[in-house]
Amino acid sequence: MIKIVTIIGARPQIIKAAALSRAIKNSFSDRLHEIIVHTGQHYDENMSEVFFRELGIPLPNYNLNVGSASHGVQTARMIEGIEAILIKEKPAWLVLYGDTNSTLAGAVAASKIHVPIAHIEAGLRSFNKAMPEEINRILCDHCSTLLFSPTETGFKNLVQEGFNPNNHPPYIADNPGIYHCGDVMFDNSLHFAELAMKQSQVLKNNQLIADQYILCTIHRNNNTDEPERLQQIFEALLEIVKQSGKQIALPLHPRTAKLLKTNLSPKCYQDVISNPLVHLMEPVSFLDMIALEQNASHVITDSGGVQKEAYFFQKPCIILRPETEWKEIVEVGAAQIADASKTKILAAWSRFVEAPPMDFPSIFGDGQAAHFIAEELIKQSQISK
Ligand code: UD1
Ligand code: UDP
């Protein structure tokens, strides 16, 4: 039996991990034994526990309960806890997802004690090192042994940074293996889309009308913490509501909910909370979220995952960031980058109203990325024996 330790901590990682846990349960439970470590980076019931219940993920074997803190304090507490678990469990692989502080902590802890790292969602780059995530993902990639990139762009980024696509096994951190294998988030969306449409009551519970609302999420630190940017975004949303008569569904990340009143002008805040078409909501479960995505007419977001899910469900998407790691969806015209500029957001909206995107070619694999990754973890463990 090959033992792997999986690190999760933030909401999207819990969701991504569901795909690999499901593949292990369905096809590889005789060969892979997964130990799940939750760092506790996200801890509210609707940012963590709900996903375990809904997505059928095994409960974490360990919870480090680190909670919120500055980057340094939070990451340091995680490193300490993860190191102790790795020394005790001695896994064949440490599996890391994405680019959060939990990812970085896992990468630092494992690489120093020579536990090989498999990084899922490798190679993504914004080329903007002001983003904490850009630092996390670059550092993690460069101490990983197996790098699983969801897109061709991610794979090419790795090659450009010096990763050799012609390396041969046995792979080690100095001779890593890189793969273009599709996106585990696409696996999940395919798996849960139908169930979400059948089960979710989120539209009914929030008086939302299918196809008559825009789904919006905002949580990036630069958007929430910089009042001018948050103000521009909300002014644009209010103007879109006025022009279109559409509703806006806004499941708010706790970070945004906490800062809305202080970082918007008093007038804008009043306009937002008193507008009957603006539906401010608590964070929703994954099934509710993909029901919201499937029934929306448009998506406006600064989330990495929500950008992609908008694409999976063929919804035009306005990206509230200066750039994106998922540049293919912009290149094919399904998404537009508008940053946090009221003018750019409104221009992107007008373009989508005049000419909605029609073409959503396959970019994120075949829905079997997690199966491929599990097979490769087994194969590479056997080769390195
Ligand atoms: C983190 C990730 C980001 C990811 C996001 C997913 C880093 C650097 N950032 O950002 O890449 O896109 O998760 O959602 O790792 N909070 C709560 N309850 C919770 C969790 C957070 O109230 O359960 C509040 C706290 O005030 C906290 C703030 O949200 O200080 C930010 O949380 P944190 O995990 O530090 O960063 P995120 O913005 O969630
Ligand atoms: N999501 C969710 N409920 C919400 C908002 C998001 O289940 O209220 C899901 C969403 O469907 C996607 C993931 O969380 O799968 C994206 O996470 P988030 O936007 O927090 O982070 P990012 O992807 O930007 O790292």
Coordinates of all heavy atoms in Angstrom, one line a residue, residues 186 189-190 211 290 293-299 306-317 329 332-335 352 356-364:
F186 N -12.4 20.5 -13.2 CA -13.4 20.1 -14.3 C -14.0 18.7 -14.0 O -15.2 18.5 -14.2 CB -12.6 20.1 -15.6 CG -13.5 19.9 -16.8 CD1 -14.7 20.5 -17.0 CD2 -13.1 19.0 -17.8 CE1 -15.5 20.3 -18.1 CE2 -13.9 18.7 -18.9 CZ -15.1 19.4 -19.1
S189 N -16.7 19.4 -11.6 CA -17.9 20.1 -12.2 C -18.8 19.1 -13.0 O -20.0 19.1 -12.9 CB -17.5 21.3 -13.0 OG -17.0 22.3 -12.2
L190 N -18.1 18.2 -13.8 CA -18.8 17.2 -14.5 C -19.5 16.3 -13.6 O -20.7 15.9 -13.8 CB -17.8 16.4 -15.4 CG -17.2 17.0 -16.6 CD1 -16.3 16.0 -17.3 CD2 -18.3 17.6 -17.5
D211 N -31.3 32.7 -15.3 CA -31.0 33.5 -16.5 C -31.2 35.0 -16.3 O -30.9 35.7 -17.2 CB -31.7 32.9 -17.7 CG -30.8 32.8 -18.9 OD1 -29.6 32.6 -18.6 OD2 -31.3 33.1 -20.0
I290 N -22.4 25.6 -7.8 CA -22.4 25.2 -9.3 C -23.9 25.3 -9.8 O -24.1 25.4 -11.0 CB -21.7 23.9 -9.6 CG1 -22.2 22.7 -8.8 CG2 -20.2 24.1 -9.4 CD1 -21.5 21.4 -9.3
E293 N -23.9 28.9 -10.7 CA -23.2 29.1 -12.0 C -24.0 28.7 -13.2 O -24.0 29.4 -14.2 CB -21.8 28.4 -11.9 CG -20.9 29.1 -10.9 CD -19.7 28.2 -10.5 OE1 -19.6 27.0 -10.8 OE2 -18.8 28.8 -9.9
Q294 N -24.6 27.5 -13.1 CA -25.3 27.0 -14.3 C -26.5 27.8 -14.6 O -26.9 27.9 -15.8 CB -25.7 25.5 -14.0 CG -24.6 24.6 -13.9 CD -25.0 23.1 -13.7 OE1 -25.3 22.4 -14.6 NE2 -24.9 22.8 -12.4
N295 N -27.1 28.5 -13.6 CA -28.4 29.2 -13.9 C -28.1 30.7 -14.1 O -29.1 31.5 -14.5 CB -29.3 29.1 -12.7 CG -30.0 27.7 -12.7 OD1 -30.7 27.4 -13.7 ND2 -29.7 26.9 -11.7
A296 N -26.9 31.2 -14.0 CA -26.6 32.6 -14.1 C -26.6 33.0 -15.6 O -26.3 32.1 -16.5 CB -25.2 32.9 -13.5
S297 N -26.8 34.2 -15.9 CA -26.6 34.7 -17.3 C -25.1 35.0 -17.5 O -24.6 34.8 -18.6 CB -27.5 35.9 -17.6 OG -27.1 37.0 -16.9
H298 N -24.5 35.6 -16.5 CA -23.1 36.1 -16.6 C -22.4 35.8 -15.3 O -23.1 35.7 -14.3 CB -23.0 37.5 -16.9 CG -23.6 38.0 -18.2 ND1 -25.0 38.1 -18.4 CD2 -23.0 38.3 -19.4 CE1 -25.2 38.5 -19.7 NE2 -24.0 38.6 -20.3
V299 N -21.1 35.8 -15.3 CA -20.3 35.7 -14.1 C -19.3 36.9 -14.0 O -18.7 37.2 -15.0 CB -19.6 34.4 -14.0 CG1 -18.7 34.3 -12.8 CG2 -20.6 33.2 -13.9
V306 N -13.7 30.2 -9.8 CA -15.1 30.6 -10.4 C -14.9 31.0 -11.9 O -15.8 30.7 -12.7 CB -15.7 31.7 -9.5 CG1 -17.0 32.1 -10.1 CG2 -15.9 31.1 -8.1
Q307 N -13.8 31.6 -12.2 CA -13.5 31.9 -13.7 C -13.6 30.6 -14.5 O -14.2 30.6 -15.6 CB -12.1 32.3 -13.9 CG -11.8 33.8 -13.6 CD -10.2 34.0 -13.7 OE1 -9.6 33.7 -14.7 NE2 -9.7 34.5 -12.6
K308 N -13.0 29.6 -14.0 CA -13.0 28.3 -14.8 C -14.3 27.7 -14.8 O -14.8 27.2 -15.8 CB -12.0 27.3 -14.1 CG -10.6 27.6 -14.5 CD -9.6 26.5 -14.0 CE -9.5 26.5 -12.5 NZ -8.8 25.4 -12.0
E309 N -15.0 27.7 -13.7 CA -16.3 27.0 -13.6 C -17.3 27.8 -14.5 O -18.2 27.2 -15.2 CB -16.9 27.0 -12.2 CG -16.1 25.9 -11.4 CD -16.2 26.0 -9.9 OE1 -16.8 27.0 -9.4 OE2 -15.7 25.1 -9.2
A310 N -17.2 29.1 -14.6 CA -18.0 29.9 -15.6 C -17.8 29.3 -17.0 O -18.7 29.1 -17.7 CB -17.6 31.4 -15.5
Y311 N -16.5 29.1 -17.3 CA -16.2 28.5 -18.6 C -16.8 27.1 -18.8 O -17.3 26.8 -19.8 CB -14.7 28.5 -18.8 CG -14.2 28.2 -20.2 CD1 -14.1 29.2 -21.1 CD2 -13.9 26.9 -20.5 CE1 -13.8 28.9 -22.5 CE2 -13.5 26.6 -21.8 CZ -13.4 27.6 -22.8 OH -13.1 27.3 -24.1
F312 N -16.6 26.3 -17.8 CA -17.1 24.9 -17.9 C -18.6 25.0 -18.2 O -19.1 24.1 -19.0 CB -17.0 24.1 -16.6 CG -15.6 24.0 -16.0 CD1 -15.4 23.7 -14.6 CD2 -14.5 24.1 -16.8 CE1 -14.1 23.6 -14.1 CE2 -13.2 23.9 -16.3 CZ -13.1 23.7 -14.9
F313 N -19.3 25.9 -17.6 CA -20.8 26.0 -17.8 C -21.2 27.1 -18.9 O -22.3 27.5 -19.0 CB -21.5 26.3 -16.5 CG -21.3 25.2 -15.5 CD1 -20.7 25.5 -14.2 CD2 -21.6 23.9 -15.8 CE1 -20.5 24.5 -13.3 CE2 -21.4 22.9 -14.8 CZ -20.9 23.2 -13.6
Q314 N -20.2 27.4 -19.7 CA -20.4 28.3 -20.9 C -21.0 29.6 -20.5 O -22.0 30.0 -21.2 CB -21.1 27.5 -21.9 CG -20.5 26.2 -22.2 CD -20.8 25.6 -23.6 OE1 -21.8 26.0 -24.2 NE2 -20.0 24.7 -24.0
K315 N -20.6 30.3 -19.5 CA -21.1 31.6 -19.1 C -20.0 32.6 -19.4 O -18.9 32.5 -19.0 CB -21.5 31.6 -17.6 CG -22.4 30.6 -17.2 CD -23.8 30.7 -17.8 CE -24.7 29.5 -17.5 NZ -26.0 29.6 -18.1
P316 N -20.4 33.8 -20.0 CA -19.5 34.9 -20.2 C -19.0 35.4 -18.8 O -19.8 35.5 -17.9 CB -20.3 35.9 -20.9 CG -21.6 35.3 -21.3 CD -21.8 34.1 -20.5
C317 N -17.7 35.7 -18.7 CA -17.1 36.0 -17.4 C -16.3 37.3 -17.5 O -15.4 37.4 -18.4 CB -16.3 34.8 -17.0 SG -15.4 35.1 -15.4
I329 N -9.0 31.2 -21.6 CA -10.4 31.5 -21.6 C -10.6 33.0 -22.1 O -11.7 33.3 -22.6 CB -11.1 31.3 -20.3 CG1 -10.6 32.2 -19.1 CG2 -11.0 29.8 -19.9 CD1 -11.4 32.0 -17.8
V332 N -10.0 32.9 -26.1 CA -11.1 32.4 -27.0 C -12.3 33.3 -26.9 O -13.3 33.1 -27.5 CB -11.5 30.9 -26.6 CG1 -10.4 30.0 -26.8 CG2 -12.1 30.8 -25.2
G333 N -12.2 34.4 -26.1 CA -13.3 35.4 -26.0 C -14.4 35.1 -25.0 O -15.4 35.8 -25.0
A334 N -14.2 34.1 -24.2 CA -15.3 33.7 -23.2 C -15.2 34.5 -22.0 O -16.1 34.7 -21.2 CB -15.1 32.2 -22.9
A335 N -14.0 35.1 -21.7 CA -13.8 36.0 -20.5 C -13.1 37.2 -20.9 O -12.3 37.3 -21.9 CB -13.0 35.2 -19.5
F352 N -20.2 42.1 -24.0 CA -20.9 40.8 -23.8 C -22.4 40.9 -24.2 O -22.9 39.9 -24.7 CB -20.7 40.2 -22.4 CG -19.4 39.5 -22.1 CD1 -18.8 39.5 -20.9 CD2 -18.8 38.7 -23.1 CE1 -17.7 38.8 -20.6 CE2 -17.7 38.0 -22.9 CZ -17.1 38.1 -21.7
P356 N -22.4 38.1 -27.3 CA -22.1 37.0 -26.4 C -21.1 36.0 -27.0 O -21.3 35.7 -28.1 CB -23.5 36.4 -26.0 CG -24.5 37.1 -26.8 CD -23.8 38.1 -27.7
P357 N -20.2 35.5 -26.2 CA -19.3 34.4 -26.7 C -20.1 33.2 -27.0 O -21.0 32.8 -26.3 CB -18.3 34.2 -25.5 CG -19.0 34.7 -24.3 CD -20.0 35.7 -24.7
M358 N -19.7 32.5 -28.1 CA -20.5 31.3 -28.6 C -19.6 30.1 -28.5 O -20.1 29.0 -28.5 CB -20.9 31.5 -30.1 CG -21.7 32.8 -30.3 SD -23.2 32.9 -29.3 CE -24.3 31.9 -30.3
D359 N -18.3 30.3 -28.4 CA -17.4 29.1 -28.6 C -16.6 28.9 -27.3 O -16.0 29.8 -26.8 CB -16.4 29.5 -29.7 CG -15.7 28.3 -30.2 OD1 -16.3 27.2 -30.1 OD2 -14.6 28.4 -30.8
F360 N -16.8 27.7 -26.8 CA -16.1 27.3 -25.5 C -15.3 26.0 -25.7 O -15.7 24.9 -25.3 CB -17.1 27.1 -24.4 CG -17.8 28.4 -24.0 CD1 -18.9 28.8 -24.7 CD2 -17.4 29.1 -22.9 CE1 -19.6 30.0 -24.4 CE2 -18.1 30.3 -22.5 CZ -19.1 30.7 -23.3
P361 N -14.2 26.0 -26.5 CA -13.5 24.8 -26.9 C -13.0 24.1 -25.6 O -12.8 24.8 -24.6 CB -12.4 25.2 -27.8 CG -12.3 26.7 -27.6 CD -13.6 27.2 -27.1
S362 N -12.7 22.8 -25.7 CA -12.2 22.0 -24.6 C -10.8 22.4 -24.3 O -9.9 22.3 -25.1 CB -12.3 20.5 -25.0 OG -11.6 19.8 -24.1
I363 N -10.6 22.9 -23.0 CA -9.2 23.3 -22.6 C -8.8 22.6 -21.4 O -7.6 22.5 -21.1 CB -9.3 24.8 -22.3 CG1 -9.6 25.7 -23.5 CG2 -8.0 25.3 -21.6 CD1 -9.9 27.1 -23.3
F364 N -9.7 22.0 -20.6 CA -9.4 21.6 -19.3 C -9.4 20.1 -19.1 O -9.5 19.5 -18.0 CB -10.3 22.2 -18.2 CG -10.1 23.7 -18.2 CD1 -10.9 24.6 -18.9 CD2 -9.1 24.3 -17.4 CE1 -10.7 26.0 -18.8 CE2 -8.9 25.6 -17.4 CZ -9.7 26.5 -18.1

